[in-house]
Amino acid sequence: DEEFDELCFEFGLELDEITSEKDIISKEKGEEKAKGASDVVLYKIDVPANRYDLLCLEGLVRGLQVFKERINLPRFEKIIPAEGEGQRLIITEQTAQIRPHAVAAVLRNITFTKDRYDSFIDLQEKLHQNICRKRALVAIGTHDLDTVTGPFTFTAKAPSEIKFKPLNQSQEYTASQIMDLYRTDSHLRHYLHLIENKPRYPVIYDSNGVVLSMPPIINGDHTKISLNTRNVFIECTGTDITKAKIVLDVIVTMFSEYCEKPFTVETVEVVYPNGKTHIYPELAYRTEKVKPEYINKKVGISETPSSLAKLLTRMCLKSHVTGNGNHIEVEIPPTRADIIHACDIVEDAAIAYGYNNIQMVIPKTYTIANQLPLNKLAELLRLDLAAAGFTEALTFALCSQEDIADKLGMDISATNAVRIANPKTAEFQVARTTLLPGLLKTIAANRKMPLPLKLFEISDIVLKDPNTDVGARNYRHLCAIYYNKSPGFEIIHGLLDRVMQVLEVPPNEEKGYTIKAAEGTAFFPGRCAEVFAKGQSIGKLGVVHPDVITKFELTMPCSVLEINIEPFV
């Protein structure tokens, strides 16, 4: 396990955890549910989102074998059948409005086993989730070619005209009935919205009118692949032709190794509505030239051109030195759609060299870092508040609407709060506009502690501000709270005086600070004061209203101070 973990790290992957089905289920649902689950050890490997070629066991093992220099990268070949013998996929103009693109390929004389088959299905699922954007951009269909006869037609029809037996169902349904059937399906219901409200649904037929699939929802049961399937017809339909080509290339390069002639793919001719034809899969190899010094400079190493070429070859990018060592010619295989720019090649060279082997150097630019003045002030104030006997709390920046509005006796519209568009829990609906609820909730959670409770927090609050580029602004607030059998207003007032003393703000009107009687919905009438300093109102202090105390499930009186410290930076 340790060796494999090390190997993954060297190859730029992360072995996330070593687990088993049993462990996973018991963690998520408890020991009871996990009974009878498999104990087989599973490796959870984190693959970067751009490496579609590592999303199945075949590609991962192949990549690691090439990396360890045990095998050379296989050469993928497309076999173009003789005139009139190959498969054709005809696209009709009806598809233009809904899913205009389709590509296809055939894997001939393939041998499936249970594991290979599971891996084949699993790869399609993983591709559907990431590059296909939950099937919105591309949907993959794989079929047993021997159960149908070409040429195939990709068209779009009214839902009531499409009728077939969907995968793993026992009877025929029309397209509209299929939609209703899968509305409750935990897996498929997420894809229904892609075509649901369209006047026509995309569908693929063979020459006898057998339905292969209704992308992006479900395949037909007729062409279902089994372990005995020898010839596989793969079609990818979508709204993004580039992504469709990549997806097709990934699937055929991963599984063509199980064909009788390994790493060969039979092409399919796709006929467009305008009569033009194109042969897929493209399986395009291309060459890029990179200067060795460019790689060395970007990574911060000094390798010879030939050793850089060797490093790249280990990363499945076959490379050799050309032009007296001035250039490295890199061949990009069809499996590596993620190589878009020279920097992608540089990254692979760095991974093969080993991030841990790159020497650390001090940057050429010479600067001395400084703490942000606001953070420095906050740190200094924290020390002084702690010295005054208060305990620091750190609470969540998000809270529920009730916390900042209803519970404090205010209306949500008056708080100017920033809302989360799609909150996951009721506790995190809005960004906090005051630090008070967080501290009151902290006290509620610590009611068993001996009194008095003296807490403080210095953190940011967020308010809407149409004048900023993001539409909101942060303010650094200081909030302190005293919770005991008596309100202790004098203790909080004393704390305010101490804070002003350490800030060197004198208690006078001209250049110092003053407090004036005020009203606040969260405060007891006649027990609230506004704090003015530097010619502006910076916050309030006072005794908390009994209603507020009960709403936060507390039973004792408490007094509180909350001020904005930004004017003192």
Side-chain angles (χ1 to χ4, degrees):
D1 287 346
E2 279 78 37
E3 285 176 307
F4 186 67
D5 188 11
E6 195 61 30
L7 175 62
C8 282
F9 182 79
E10 285 171 15
F11 190 56
L13 307 175
E14 186 184 353
L15 179 56
D16 202 24
E17 62 174 324
I18 298 168
T19 177
S20 69
E21 267 183 31
K22 200 171 193 172
D23 286 352
I24 295 171
I25 297 172
S26 70
K27 260 187 208 157
E28 286 176 5
K29 299 178 180 166
E31 303 260 324
E32 282 300 304
K33 292 266 196 323
K35 279 186 182 153
S38 149
D39 276 335
V40 178
V41 174
L42 295 176
Y43 283 168
K44 250 188 175 174
I45 301 170
D46 259 349
V47 176
N50 57 341
R51 291 296 300 267
Y52 313 116
D53 57 316
L54 303 179
L55 286 177
C56 63
L57 188 67
E58 289 71 16
L60 183 62
V61 169
R62 195 183 302 159
L64 288 169
Q65 293 275 38
V66 173
F67 182 68
K68 298 279 281 179
E69 299 181 87
R70 290 190 185 162
I71 60 168
N72 289 327
L73 183 68
R75 185 98 199 162
F76 302 103
E77 267 181 76
K78 47 187 184 187
I79 295 174
I80 301 177
E83 187 67 40
E85 286 184 17
Q87 298 297 340
R88 283 164 60 222
L89 176 61
I90 299 154
I91 304 179
T92 67
E93 63 231 345
Q94 281 86 352
T95 59
Q97 305 305 311
I98 176 158
R99 268 186 120 70
H101 305 291
V103 296
V106 173
L107 291 177
R108 279 273 170 213
N109 298 322
I110 193 166
T111 312
F112 277 123
T113 62
K114 176 86 177 78
D115 288 344
R116 292 174 183 181
Y117 176 81
D118 290 345
S119 177
F120 187 57
I121 301 299
D122 194 44
L123 173 66
Q124 293 174 46
E125 207 31 64
K126 288 201 171 77
L127 290 170
H128 272 152
Q129 289 311 315
N130 65 11
I131 181 173
C132 304
R133 290 285 175 276
K134 301 208 166 84
R135 304 193 190 179
L137 302 181
V138 187
I140 309 159
T142 51
H143 312 277
D144 186 334
L145 183 60
D146 301 327
T147 61
V148 282
T149 37
F152 304 99
T153 310
F154 175 42
T155 182
K157 287 189 168 184
S160 53
E161 292 173 26
I162 303 170
K163 190 169 187 189
F164 67 103
K165 186 164 126 187
L167 192 61
N168 300 332
Q169 296 292 335
S170 52
Q171 64 184 81
E172 289 198 347
Y173 296 93
T174 65
S176 335
Q177 289 168 327
I178 289 174
M179 288 305 209
D180 295 333
L181 178 69
Y182 290 126
R183 205 156 305 229
T184 52
D185 186 288
S186 62
H187 177 61
L188 292 174
R189 64 193 166 112
H190 305 295
Y191 309 118
L192 301 183
H193 70 92
L194 295 171
I195 58 169
E196 198 165 21
N197 302 322
K198 302 277 195 304
R200 293 165 174 260
Y201 290 0
V203 61
I204 298 177
Y205 290 102
D206 82 340
S207 56
N208 300 325
V210 174
V211 171
L212 277 73
S213 70
M214 182 173 83
I217 311 299
I218 190 84
N219 286 355
D221 193 68
H222 183 85
T223 57
K224 179 163 79 178
I225 291 181
S226 68
L227 296 186
N228 306 324
T229 299
R230 298 288 293 150
N231 301 303
V232 180
F233 178 71
I234 303 167
E235 40 83 9
C236 301
T237 60
T239 52
D240 182 325
I241 185 69
T242 313
K243 298 268 195 310
K245 287 186 209 169
I246 293 173
V247 168
L248 185 66
D249 278 351
V250 170
I251 293 178
V252 297
T253 51
M254 291 305 113
F255 287 89
S256 54
E257 70 174 76
Y258 300 134
C259 292
E260 205 170 303
K261 282 191 187 159
F263 307 114
T264 61
V265 185
E266 184 182 307
T267 59
V268 172
E269 184 180 27
V270 173
V271 185
Y272 290 103
N274 60 9
K276 286 191 178 154
T277 64
H278 196 298
I279 297 233
Y280 291 104
E282 290 188 344
L283 290 184
Y285 283 85
R286 69 174 209 274
T287 52
E288 298 285 352
K289 280 189 176 169
V290 189
K291 286 194 158 88
E293 56 267 30
Y294 175 76
I295 298 179
N296 279 330
K297 184 172 167 230
K298 290 280 178 211
V299 181
I301 52 179
S302 49
E303 291 289 291
T304 61
S306 58
S307 79
L308 286 173
K310 194 174 167 196
L311 290 176
L312 288 169
T313 303
R314 286 177 58 202
M315 294 301 289
C316 302
L317 301 174
K318 201 167 153 206
S319 308
H320 60 272
V321 182
T322 61
N324 307 332
N326 295 337
H327 282 96
I328 297 176
E329 204 165 88
V330 185
E331 183 179 58
I332 318 291
T335 46
R336 293 299 304 274
D338 58 300
I339 306 284
I340 298 169
H341 183 274
C343 66
D344 296 311
I345 297 172
V346 174
E347 181 191 18
D348 270 10
I351 291 172
Y353 184 81
Y355 282 0
N356 286 350
N357 302 328
I358 300 170
Q359 291 296 312
M360 293 219 182
V361 288
I362 292 171
K364 298 277 192 294
T365 47
Y366 185 68
T367 59
I368 293 173
N370 235 336
Q371 203 176 4
L372 202 65
L374 181 60
N375 288 344
K376 188 172 181 182
L377 175 69
E379 279 299 322
L380 291 168
L381 279 171
R382 284 186 180 117
L383 287 173
D384 274 304
L385 286 168
F390 282 72
T391 304
E392 183 171 19
L394 277 174
T395 61
F396 292 118
L398 297 177
C399 58
S400 70
Q401 292 193 16
E402 285 78 55
D403 288 345
I404 55 165
D406 307 359
K407 289 186 182 177
L408 298 181
M410 283 173 74
D411 188 58
I412 187 74
S413 54
T415 57
N416 219 3
V418 175
R419 295 185 185 202
I420 307 288
N422 50 345
K424 283 267 187 262
T425 67
E427 281 297 290
F428 296 145
Q429 294 170 326
V430 290
R432 62 181 170 196
T433 54
T434 158
L435 299 178
L436 180 58
L439 288 182
L440 288 170
K441 287 200 299 204
T442 307
I443 289 179
N446 290 282
R447 281 175 300 205
K448 295 194 173 66
M449 297 304 236
L451 295 173
L453 287 175
K454 298 156 80 174
L455 301 180
F456 80 91
E457 178 169 14
I458 300 179
S459 293
D460 281 2
I461 61 132
V462 186
L463 294 176
K464 278 192 196 152
D465 182 350
N467 302 323
T468 61
D469 53 347
V470 291
R473 191 184 288 280
N474 286 20
Y475 295 95
R476 187 69 51 93
H477 273 204
L478 175 160
C479 184
I481 193 161
Y482 176 82
Y483 178 76
N484 202 356
K485 292 186 171 115
S486 65
F489 181 78
E490 67 285 352
I491 289 172
I492 283 295
H493 192 175
L495 185 73
L496 170 69
D497 291 345
R498 174 64 185 153
V499 169
M500 292 302 165
Q501 190 183 356
V502 296
L503 289 171
E504 294 187 339
V505 180
N508 60 42
E509 276 203 32
E510 288 81 52
K511 296 191 170 166
Y513 74 100
T514 55
I515 64 173
K516 294 187 178 134
E519 291 300 319
T521 52
F523 295 97
F524 201 81
R527 290 274 191 285
C528 169
E530 199 161 1
V531 186
F532 291 89
K534 306 250 174 170
Q536 65 192 67
S537 164
I538 57 164
K540 288 188 171 140
L541 79 159
V543 178
V544 179
H545 199 290
D547 289 352
V548 175
I549 291 174
T550 45
K551 278 178 187 160
F552 280 97
E553 297 169 18
L554 299 175
T555 51
M556 308 266 181
C558 65
S559 49
V560 66
L561 158 75
E562 180 161 8
I563 57 170
N564 176 8
I565 62 167
E566 293 191 9
F568 303 107
V569 175

